Amino acid sequence: MAIIHLISDFIDDNNAIGDLFPHYWYEGRCPESGDLLRLPRTAKIEAIAFGLMRFLASDDRYSREGKMYGVLLVQLPSGEERVLKAFSGLLLGQSVVEGWVPPIPGRDEVVLQESLTLAQLEAIKQELIALKQLPERQQYENLCREFEQRLLQMNSHHRTNKQERQEKRQILCETLTKEALSVALEQLDRQSQLDGIERRQLKRQRDDALQPLQQSIAQANMRMRELKQQRKELSRQLQAQMHAAYSLTNFFGKSRSLQQLMPGGSPTGTGDCCAPKLLHYAATHNLKPLAMAEFWWGLPSINGDKIPGEFYAACAERCQPLMGFLLSGLSGKDAIAHNCFIEQSLPIIYEDQWLIAVNKPAGLLSVPGRYRDRIDSVLSRLRHQLPDGMEIFAVHRLDLETSGILLLARNRQTYAQLSRQFQQRLVSKVYEALLSGSVTIERGTIELPLWGDPQNRPSQQVDEQRGKPSMTHFRVMAREGNYTRVEFVPVTGRTHQIRVHAADSRGIGVPILGDRLYGCRTIANRLHLHARELSFLHPHLGEILHLVTQTPF
């Protein structure tokens, strides 16, 4: 099977996809000239990536492991466009797979040492697992719970005894005098002392039972620390050997080892990621890169920060530091062609001296994000596009994946007046969505408390204790095969409100097509959610402004 593929292997109609605005830029500065070099992720390369996702979805083997995949659109010397595809690390246990870009040269030089080190690391892993599952740990926890329960019961009994003694003291003080009172009170004090002795004996019994277990656990923990240090050192040694052997080539035809490119060291796996493999292959085979995309597929990542089917930027630790070198050699003409994307204007649907409304495309942020790969947005483009752009303020937000009407103010006074209308729920919003399944009920109202877990952003969930109230009215517009077209009218404006209300079983129970974050497994080229209508009182004209756009799906 060829490594350089036809575009038709991934998408049916090459001409039907317009490269409007890049959704992300792979970029880095040339080490020699200092010039900023950029490679876009466009709608076309994303469509090609969706084609690869459909291939992966057709074989259950690819869903059993989670990893990053990438596609690179390249131009042959003849001017024809072709596609390269790559995977990070190993695919189904193999580093070389027919039809995919091969590993970067140098891996074969350390393959023997790598296998020996991996065997040692596996042995360390198994010993760590055994030490973590040490029977004494469970015995210790069980005994702790048992003694804790006995102490609680004893304390409860002693509190009752104390209360009874206090009542007896009061009665004795009222009925006895002198020596008889003194003898009776001493007896009560003795009972109090006996309770204290009983508590101390139980705690001593607990300590005697737990001490040998604590010693075994402490020894196991010490051994685990030693093993982790061994593992760290083995990984460091293997990494140094691999980085000295791995050699990357850029579009100037210059080659450097990973050790030369990242002399301070880099994480394990650098050089095995999709982007370096794709760009190195293109540079060594006289292929000009046009656009690139990377996405996650298979099982979710271990720490939950990667969702199957979602696109991701170059990883900050492994890939981003290499971008400047890898892109070096792309001509200035290429950079100009790439930069022309950002000059294209946004579709403005209403504009006057006080405010402006645009039809935001899916995949574009409403406002700039915190990091470099999240700068491109409606607000940043308008500030670049309009003479008074620096005075513009976004009144509300739409999700990155949601298209539709976005309202912006052209001065602070208008911004404050419009924001007040949104806060007081005086703005009418209508959304249209295509749901990935059949909806049986015709219309209704969904009310669910939504909460965003800080450890799992941006995902929202229904939480009766911590959630904030949310309400959405909905009605079915049409049923289209296995899909249902639904109109949503949100009353509140919580993050991801419509997406959760559609997907959650306590709402409609059917996710929006393309909403992989909330459980849609159908491959789609976008989130099928559109902010179709917006009605509000114009703060200066004093009349209701009703804006409408056509749903693009």
Side-chain angles (χ1 to χ4, degrees):
M1 185 185 292
I3 292 176
I4 304 176
H5 305 275
L6 296 170
I7 295 178
S8 58
D9 292 341
F10 301 88
I11 54 178
D12 296 330
D13 188 355
N14 183 12
N15 297 319
I17 300 169
D19 281 334
L20 295 177
F21 301 105
H23 297 161
Y24 169 72
W25 293 97
Y26 292 90
E27 62 182 28
R29 293 198 176 274
C30 175
E32 297 181 6
S33 67
D35 292 340
L36 179 64
L37 305 169
R38 314 179 83 193
L39 183 65
R41 187 181 79 212
T42 61
K44 184 173 182 177
I45 194 64
E46 287 184 359
I48 291 169
F50 284 122
L52 179 55
M53 289 182 205
R54 284 189 287 273
F55 165 75
L56 296 172
S58 68
D59 190 332
D60 185 57
R61 292 179 302 166
Y62 299 115
S63 65
R64 297 173 189 165
E65 58 180 4
K67 66 173 58 272
M68 199 73 77
Y69 293 83
V71 284
L72 179 67
L73 182 65
V74 297
Q75 188 179 73
L76 304 181
S78 63
E80 299 174 272
E81 293 183 359
R82 293 289 188 270
V83 178
L84 302 175
K85 62 181 183 181
F87 52 83
S88 62
L90 304 177
L91 182 61
L92 306 178
Q94 302 295 320
S95 61
V96 179
V97 180
E98 190 177 3
W100 299 80
V101 166
I104 291 170
R107 188 184 187 97
D108 52 342
E109 297 178 24
V110 292
V111 66
L112 178 59
Q113 184 59 47
E114 181 183 17
S115 62
L116 292 173
T117 302
L118 290 177
Q120 290 176 282
L121 292 173
E122 180 61 26
I124 290 174
K125 176 184 174 182
Q126 294 306 319
E127 187 175 352
L128 284 170
I129 292 173
L131 290 168
K132 191 173 183 180
Q133 297 174 348
L134 197 71
E136 284 85 344
R137 297 185 191 276
Q138 189 61 50
Q139 294 171 18
Y140 181 83
E141 290 180 10
N142 292 340
L143 279 175
C144 283
R145 282 194 295 268
E146 179 185 330
F147 278 107
E148 183 179 2
Q149 188 63 33
R150 290 172 63 183
L151 277 169
L152 287 172
Q153 292 173 351
M154 181 178 289
N155 288 337
S156 177
H157 178 61
H158 288 174
R159 279 195 298 271
T160 301
N161 291 346
K162 183 178 180 180
Q163 186 176 354
E164 291 176 353
R165 286 194 297 271
Q166 288 173 341
E167 292 172 355
K168 287 180 180 180
R169 284 190 182 95
Q170 186 174 354
I171 294 171
L172 291 172
C173 288
E174 293 173 354
T175 58
L176 299 178
T177 59
K178 297 183 179 179
E179 186 176 347
L181 176 60
S182 178
V183 170
L185 291 177
E186 285 179 4
Q187 290 177 345
L188 292 176
D189 290 343
R190 180 57 180 166
Q191 291 174 8
S192 177
Q193 292 171 359
L194 291 173
D195 284 352
I197 292 171
E198 187 180 19
R199 274 197 305 274
R200 288 192 293 274
Q201 286 177 340
L202 181 59
K203 289 180 178 178
R204 191 177 301 113
Q205 182 183 352
R206 177 198 62 188
D207 294 342
D208 290 342
L210 293 179
Q211 186 176 11
L213 295 175
Q214 286 176 317
Q215 289 176 345
S216 297
I217 293 170
Q219 290 173 357
N221 289 343
M222 183 181 298
R223 176 59 179 162
M224 288 178 71
R225 288 192 291 271
E226 293 172 355
L227 289 170
K228 288 178 179 179
Q229 185 61 37
Q230 288 180 27
R231 182 176 62 184
K232 183 177 180 180
E233 182 60 25
L234 284 170
S235 297
R236 188 198 64 77
Q237 291 174 2
L238 178 61
Q239 176 183 323
Q241 291 173 322
M242 296 178 82
H243 287 183
Y246 271 42
S247 178
L248 291 165
T249 302
N250 63 19
F251 294 91
F252 278 132
K254 296 182 177 180
S255 297
R256 297 286 186 275
S257 69
L258 281 177
Q259 199 171 62
Q260 291 173 306
L261 292 171
M262 303 175 75
S266 61
T268 302
T270 303
D272 284 333
C273 295
C274 301
K277 289 167 72 171
L278 289 166
L279 292 172
H280 170 85
Y281 188 89
T284 54
H285 289 78
N286 197 24
L287 306 171
K288 184 172 79 173
L290 302 176
M292 184 165 62
E294 295 176 286
F295 63 90
W296 187 268
W297 191 262
L299 297 174
S301 58
I302 295 174
N303 56 9
D305 63 339
K306 297 289 190 301
I307 300 167
E310 292 290 331
F311 293 102
Y312 291 95
C315 56
E317 299 84 6
R318 297 179 180 86
C319 296
Q320 188 56 52
L322 303 174
M323 279 299 148
F325 173 80
L326 288 168
L327 295 174
S328 293
L330 294 179
S331 68
K333 184 186 294 186
D334 296 333
I336 294 171
H338 292 164
N339 285 333
C340 74
F341 283 112
I342 207 163
E343 299 296 333
Q344 298 190 39
S345 60
L346 286 164
I348 297 173
I349 58 175
Y350 179 86
E351 182 180 11
D352 61 28
Q353 66 188 86
W354 300 287
L355 54 87
I356 184 170
V358 303
N359 188 6
K360 184 186 89 68
L364 181 66
L365 291 167
S366 298
V367 299
R370 292 174 57 190
Y371 303 106
R372 183 174 58 184
D373 63 316
R374 312 285 281 183
I375 292 175
D376 192 21
S377 66
V378 170
L379 186 59
S380 58
R381 289 185 185 183
L382 287 177
R383 286 178 172 174
H384 181 268
Q385 178 179 331
L386 302 176
D388 63 340
M390 298 309 295
E391 299 299 321
I392 291 176
F393 304 92
V395 180
H396 63 123
R397 307 283 192 274
L398 292 177
D399 290 347
L400 170 70
E401 302 92 342
T402 303
S403 59
I405 302 172
L406 186 71
L407 186 62
L408 303 101
R410 305 187 87 148
N411 56 63
R412 289 189 178 276
Q413 181 187 8
T414 303
Y415 169 76
Q417 292 171 322
L418 289 172
S419 295
R420 196 173 303 115
Q421 290 190 48
F422 275 90
Q423 292 167 3
Q424 296 173 356
R425 300 177 185 172
L426 300 176
V427 178
S428 174
K429 296 169 283 185
V430 179
Y431 288 74
E432 188 172 323
L434 195 62
L435 273 56
S436 181
S438 177
V439 178
T440 54
I441 190 170
E442 293 298 322
R443 62 177 64 240
T445 299
I446 303 166
E447 296 183 76
L448 295 172
L450 300 185
W451 178 69
D453 184 351
Q455 304 301 319
N456 192 28
R457 291 178 178 171
S459 178
Q460 305 292 305
Q461 61 191 57
V462 178
D463 191 302
E464 296 292 343
Q465 281 72 44
R466 294 169 290 190
K468 294 181 180 179
S470 65
M471 178 187 292
T472 307
H473 304 301
F474 73 92
R475 71 174 183 88
V476 171
M477 299 172 63
R479 291 178 174 83
E480 306 169 9
N482 295 326
Y483 306 109
T484 307
R485 190 170 294 274
V486 179
E487 179 183 272
F488 290 96
V489 180
V491 178
T492 54
R494 308 296 179 201
T495 301
H496 292 185
Q497 176 173 315
I498 293 175
R499 298 167 66 175
V500 177
H501 283 188
D504 195 273
S505 59
R506 288 154 287 190
I508 295 178
V510 181
I512 297 172
L513 180 62
D515 196 353
R516 289 174 288 276
L517 184 61
Y518 293 104
C520 179
R521 295 294 172 256
T522 305
I523 302 298
N525 61 0
R526 60 160 290 176
L527 173 71
H528 285 61
L529 178 62
H530 180 72
R532 193 184 70 200
E533 301 177 38
L534 192 69
S535 298
F536 59 94
L537 179 66
H538 195 295
H540 299 284
L541 300 180
E543 58 187 35
I544 297 296
L545 195 60
H546 183 204
L547 305 176
V548 183
T549 58
Q550 184 176 355
T551 302
F553 48 82

